[in-house]
Amino acid sequence: MQKFKYYQPKVLQDAFELMAEYQGRAQYVAGGTDVMVRVNQRVIQPDALISLRGLDALTGISPDEEMTMGSMTLFRDIERTPAFTRDYRALAQAVSVLANPQVRNVATIGGNLCNGAPSADCAPPLMVMEAELTLEGPEGARKVPIQAFFKGPGQNCMVPSEIMTGITLPAMRKGTGSAFLKTGRVFQDIAVVNAAALVVMDGNTCQVCRLSVGAVAPTPLRLTHIETLVEGEKITPDLLDEAARSAQKAVAPITDVRSTEAYRRQISGVLIKRALEAAVKDARQEKGALQIQVPADTASQTNVKTMEIEDNESATKKEIHFVLNGHAVSVEVESHKTLLRLLRDILGFKGTKEGCGQGECGACTVLVDGVSVDSCLYPAFEVGGKSVTTIEGLLGEGNTLDPLQTAFVEHGGVQCGFCTPGMIMSAKALLNENPEPTEAEIRKGISGNLCRCTGYVQIVESIKEAVSKE
Ligand code: FES
Ligand code: FES
């Protein structure tokens, strides 16, 4: 793996100075689910990564009159914050189907936007909510409406030293409804097309309409001319069909590995029509509007030991202290190592497997402070002060198996066994949070784990069995 220094500044000014010092050869990193993939694939080869995780200025959710949140707000936190699921439903819906649990546990809303992907699932909801972004650099802070942020695939209006620090959403008026829809090759895949709608209804008349569609142009699009068409009108089947036809004309999709230009164009209209219908239902709070289940916030309830994070004395190698499977560990590690490499190569915990190395297969899943993460994307420096649990940590006294392990053995949940440790750790994270999941919740809980032997039926049965025995 390519070597790089890893900095963990505690204040914004230090981050700006580091970026200036490296003159374009450093990269800010938020949750790392995109940057670490590109580093692993050598798409980018920075001399240094500057972590934003330690910057308190980028954290916090304030659902006051308007909603403000730090750019480092995790998707898992948006999923679990009632203010989002109650008032900003399109965003909560987008987050709940974005990638998989391991990614949502570490990925941030700011990172999702800064990547500049035309398919970014957060973009359409934030566009229809008319979010305002706060960007800060050495010269000070500026506010940018989200519509002015995206400049092309992978491009945005930020200068290299700037950091997105916050996102502000206006208060939602009475009568507001919103919805997000997405289509992909498989559930939780990168979007083939995504779309969001927001309406303010006065009886049957739409007072305000906001529409956005993604993955069908170089940037996420606002469909202002269709909004004008809808505003002041009653929502009728004919109007919905007209909105769909107009959306199909407005987009400029491409053919790529995920879809064809023609399919994307067709489905853009379908999603805009359906999102508009769902937003109207949401405004009326009709049965049938998209419902979101709010997972309980158990991260803060998880009984884990934590330690003070030491100062970052070295950006190339340092001794980190953390808790591994209940035992305090101190180990020297190089800055470019991932948690996966630390566990397997340095500490000898081989139960955690490496499959794809890019956050796709979940074979490397472990728990960090009680939540599942892909250890192949998790910088080793970041586990300082945290608690890590691997498959080896599930054994009880006298090496007794965890009920999940027993159920996998007894119900054929193991074939070649390569995916099994990651699969069980994802199931463990799910059951920690939700001790009695439905089958749908089990399937969603392990959606970040692939089984090459395709033994999903037995795996789900094993988890159901473990649930029944708890
Ligand atoms: Fe980490 Fe595949 S997700 S190895
Ligand atoms: Fe073989 Fe899942 S049991 S990959």
Side-chain angles (χ1 to χ4, degrees), residues 227-250:
E227 296 168 4
T228 308
L229 190 78
V230 174
E231 286 179 350
E233 301 292 332
K234 290 193 176 7
I235 305 294
T236 62
D238 284 349
L239 185 63
L240 289 168
D241 286 342
E242 194 175 346
R245 284 192 297 273
S246 298
Q248 286 162 353
K249 286 184 195 147

Side-chain angles (χ1 to χ4, degrees), residues 415-419 451-453:
Q415 293 185 57
C416 79
F418 191 80
C419 73
C451 174
R452 293 178 300 181
C453 302

Side-chain angles (χ1 to χ4, degrees), residues 318-388:
K318 71 172 179 175
E319 188 170 270
I320 58 171
H321 309 282
F322 67 106
V323 175
L324 177 57
N325 296 333
H327 302 287
V329 171
S330 297
V331 60
E332 190 173 77
V333 62
E334 291 175 284
S335 52
H336 64 284
K337 297 288 186 187
T338 60
L339 174 56
L340 176 66
R341 297 270 68 88
L342 170 62
L343 290 170
R344 286 184 59 87
D345 304 344
I346 300 174
L347 297 173
F349 282 70
K350 305 282 190 184
T352 304
K353 307 301 181 196
E354 178 171 22
C356 64
Q358 51 186 358
E360 297 278 351
C361 74
C364 64
T365 302
V366 299
L367 308 189
V368 174
D369 284 353
V371 302
S372 59
V373 306
D374 291 321
S375 61
C376 69
L377 301 182
Y378 203 94
F381 271 25
E382 297 289 358
V383 297
K386 294 187 168 67
S387 177
V388 176

Side-chain angles (χ1 to χ4, degrees), residues 251-303:
V251 299
I254 58 169
T255 294
D256 64 10
V257 65
R258 289 187 195 89
S259 184
T260 62
E261 182 270 349
Y263 181 77
R264 279 197 167 102
R265 187 179 294 283
Q266 178 73 18
I267 212 72
S268 297
V270 173
L271 289 194
I272 280 295
K273 175 181 170 178
R274 291 181 182 171
L276 190 47
E277 273 181 307
V280 171
K281 283 182 179 171
D282 186 43
R284 294 174 180 154
Q285 297 188 322
E286 283 179 15
K287 196 164 179 260
L290 297 177
Q291 298 298 315
I292 308 170
Q293 289 182 322
V294 185
D297 183 3
T298 52
S300 54
Q301 301 163 17
T302 309
N303 186 19

Side-chain angles (χ1 to χ4, degrees), residues 49 81 157 183 240 269 303 349 364 450:
L49 292 182
T81 300
C157 71
T183 180
L240 289 168
N303 186 19
F349 282 70
C364 64
L450 302 181

Side-chain angles (χ1 to χ4, degrees), residues 143-211:
K143 305 269 191 189
V144 175
I146 191 164
Q147 265 191 274
F149 181 72
F150 299 105
K151 295 297 177 193
Q155 295 169 4
N156 59 51
C157 71
M158 296 169 74
V159 297
S161 59
E162 278 185 317
I163 294 172
M164 182 186 293
T165 55
I167 295 143
T168 303
L169 302 175
M172 292 293 118
R173 292 161 50 184
K174 193 169 179 300
T176 299
S178 65
F180 171 86
L181 290 172
K182 156 183 180 175
T183 180
R185 294 169 298 180
V186 292
F187 187 57
Q188 299 178 340
D189 191 14
I190 292 173
V192 165
V193 181
N194 52 25
L198 180 147
V199 295
V200 180
M201 298 299 292
D202 180 9
N204 289 330
T205 303
C206 179
Q207 285 187 323
V208 176
C209 176
R210 299 285 178 264
L211 300 169

